[in-house]
C-alpha cells in the first residue's frame, strides 16, 4: 500500500506539467485574458499614444521576466536564438500588437477583436508556404472567413476608418506569419522565449514611437495607468507565455483558436464596461469570420490531431 501511495505521489508533479493538463489551462487564459486586453488597450489609450503604450508595456514585462529567469539560473538565449526572437518579436508584437493599438484609436475594442479574428485564416495560408497547404475543408473555411472580412469592412465601424481596417488586417497577417515562421526556428526555451520576444518587440515598438513623434504623457489618468499594468502582467507575461506554450505543443489551428473566442469576449467587455455598440454589418461579419475559422479549426486530418 505504501509503495502504491508513493507511486501516486510521485506521479502528481508530472501530471501538472503534462501538456494534456496545461494546454486547456493555457487556452482558457488566452480566451479570457486576451479577450479583455482589447478593452484594456482602449483605456490605456486615454493617456498613452499607441506605439509608446505597447513599447512600455512589453519592455517592462520583458525586462522583469528576463531578470527573474536569470536570477533563477536560466541560461540566456544564444546569438541565434536572440536573432530569431527579434524577428518573431517584430512580427508578433511590433506589428501584430502595435498596429492593433494604433487601430483602436479609430475603432472600438470589440470590432478590433473581430477583425483580428481573421488571423487563423492567414496562418492557414502561410502554413502552405512550408508545404502544409489546407485541405478541402480548410479551403472552405478560408473562403467563408475572407467573405466575413469583406462584410465586416462594409459596416460603419470599419468602413468609416479605412486606415484602422488596413492596420488590423496587417496586424493579423504579421502575427500569423510570425507564429508559423517561429515554429520552425531555434527559439529560446520555455519562458525565456517570452522574455526575449517581448524585449525585442518593445525595441521595435519604441522605434516606431520615436519615428512617429510620440511623447510620454504628462498627466496620465489612473485608469490608463492601471490598464498598462494589467496589460503588462496579465496580457504580456501570463497570456503571451501561455500562447507560446500552446504554439509549441499543439497544432497551429488549436493554438490560434483564441482568435475566434476573443471577439465575443471583447464585445461583451466593451458593451458592459465601456458602452460600446456594434451594428448589423459588424455582427454579420463577426458571425461569418467565426464560422470560417471554426471550420478550419475543426477540420482535422485523419491521424493528425496534435503536433509535437
Amino acid at each position: 500500500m505504501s509503495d502504491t501511495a508513493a507511486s501516486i505521489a510521485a506521479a502528481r508533479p508530472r501530471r501538472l506539467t503534462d501538456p494534456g493538463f496545461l494546454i486547456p489551462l493555457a487556452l482558457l487564459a488566452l480566451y479570457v485574458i486576451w479577450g479583455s486586453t482589447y478593452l484594456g488597450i482602449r483605456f490605456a489609450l486615454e493617456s498613452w499614444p499607441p506605439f509608446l503604450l505597447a513599447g512600455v508595456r512589453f519592455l517592462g514585462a520583458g525586462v522583469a521576466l528576463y531578470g527573474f529567469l536569470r536570477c533563477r539560473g536560466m541560461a540566456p538565449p544564444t546569438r541565434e536564438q536572440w536573432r530569431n526572437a527579434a524577428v518573431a518579436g517584430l512580427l508578433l508584437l511590433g506589428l501584430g500588437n502595435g498596429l492593433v493599438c494604433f487601430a483602436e484609436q479609430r475603432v472600438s475594442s470589440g470590432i478590433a477583436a473581430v477583425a483580428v479574428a481573421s488571423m487563423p485564416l492567414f496562418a492557414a495560408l502561410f502554413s502552405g508556404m512550408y508545404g502544409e497547404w489546407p485541405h478541402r475543408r480548410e479551403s472552405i473555411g478560408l473562403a467563408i472567413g475572407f467573405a466575413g472580412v469583406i462584410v465586416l469592412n462594409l459596416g460603419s465601424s470599419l468602413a468609416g476608418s479605412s486606415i484602422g481596417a488596413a492596420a488590423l488586417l496587417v496586424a493579423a497577417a504579421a502575427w500569423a506569419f510570425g507564429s508559423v515562421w517561429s515554429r520552425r526556428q531555434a527559439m529560446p526555451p520555455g519562458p525565456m522565449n517570452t522574455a526575449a520576444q517581448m524585449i525585442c518587440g518593445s525595441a521595435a515598438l519604441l522605434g516606431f514611437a520615436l519615428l512617429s513623434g510620440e511623447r510620454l504623457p504628462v498627466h496620465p489618468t489612473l485608469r490608463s495607468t492601471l490598464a498598462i499594468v494589467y496589460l503588462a502582467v496579465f496580457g504580456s507575461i501570463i497570456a503571451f507565455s501561455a500562447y507560446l506554450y500552446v504554439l509549441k505543443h499543439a497544432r497551429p489551428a488549436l493554438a490560434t483558436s483564441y482568435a475566434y473566442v476573443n471577439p465575443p469576449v471583447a464585445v461583451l467587455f466593451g458593451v458592459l464596461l465601456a458602452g460600446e455598440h456594434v451594428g448589423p454589418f459588424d455582427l454579420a461579419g463577426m458571425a461569418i469570420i467565426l464560422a470560417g475559422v471554426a471550420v478550419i479549426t475543426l477540420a482535422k486530418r485523419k491521424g493528425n490531431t496534435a503536433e509535437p
Side-chain angles (χ1 to χ4, degrees):
M1 180 69 72
S2 59
D3 291 341
T4 301
S7 299
I8 294 174
R12 284 177 181 168
R14 292 195 297 270
R15 181 72 181 89
L16 293 178
T17 59
D18 184 357
F21 171 77
L22 290 179
I23 288 176
L25 189 63
L27 284 172
L28 179 62
L30 292 178
Y31 293 162
V32 177
I33 295 176
W34 269 356
S36 68
T37 55
Y38 289 92
L39 185 60
I41 289 172
R42 175 180 169 179
F43 287 158
L45 286 171
E46 292 175 352
S47 300
W48 292 79
F51 294 117
L52 194 55
L53 153 64
V56 169
R57 164 191 174 182
F58 289 114
L59 179 63
V63 170
L65 182 58
Y66 183 84
F68 173 77
L69 295 175
R70 293 290 289 127
C71 289
R72 294 290 301 271
M74 181 171 286
T78 64
R79 180 177 299 181
E80 179 186 15
Q81 290 172 341
W82 271 118
R83 183 198 66 196
N84 293 337
V87 174
L90 170 63
L91 291 168
L92 272 69
L93 304 179
L95 295 175
N97 188 269
L99 288 176
V100 169
C101 294
F102 173 81
E104 280 204 43
Q105 296 176 113
R106 296 163 172 82
V107 301
S108 69
S109 60
I111 296 306
V114 172
V116 174
S118 62
M119 187 273 294
L121 309 176
F122 287 111
L125 289 177
F126 290 135
S127 293
M129 296 172 57
Y130 294 94
E132 298 179 8
W133 291 104
H135 54 74
R136 184 171 63 86
R137 288 188 179 181
E138 289 177 327
S139 298
I140 294 173
L142 284 171
I144 295 173
F146 280 116
V149 173
I150 294 173
V151 172
L152 186 64
N153 278 273
L154 296 175
S156 58
S157 296
L158 282 181
S161 177
S162 57
I163 295 178
L168 289 170
L169 290 180
V170 173
W175 187 281
F177 181 73
S179 298
V180 171
W181 179 84
S182 64
R183 281 175 56 86
R184 294 161 174 81
Q185 309 302 319
M187 305 299 293
M192 185 60 77
N193 189 21
T194 305
Q197 287 196 42
M198 287 195 294
I199 291 174
C200 295
S202 68
L205 287 161
L206 293 175
F208 296 157
L210 181 64
L211 291 175
S212 58
E214 294 182 355
R215 296 290 183 269
L216 287 170
V218 179
H219 300 293
T221 65
L222 177 60
R223 185 165 74 168
S224 67
T225 302
L226 292 177
I228 284 190
V229 173
Y230 174 80
L231 291 169
V233 176
F234 290 90
S236 298
I237 295 177
I238 296 176
F240 192 53
S241 297
Y243 175 66
L244 294 180
Y245 178 85
V246 176
L247 191 63
K248 179 180 179 180
H249 292 88
R251 58 194 177 90
L254 182 61
T256 57
S257 65
Y258 73 88
Y260 67 89
V261 180
N262 286 168
V265 174
V267 169
L268 179 62
F269 276 113
V271 171
L272 293 179
L273 300 180
E276 295 181 350
H277 301 282
V278 292
F281 277 104
D282 302 324
L283 293 174
M286 177 170 65
I288 296 171
I289 288 175
L290 302 191
V293 178
V295 169
I296 291 176
T297 304
L298 298 176
K300 300 178 181 179
R301 285 188 175 91
K302 187 176 293 186
N304 185 30
T305 58
E307 294 182 0

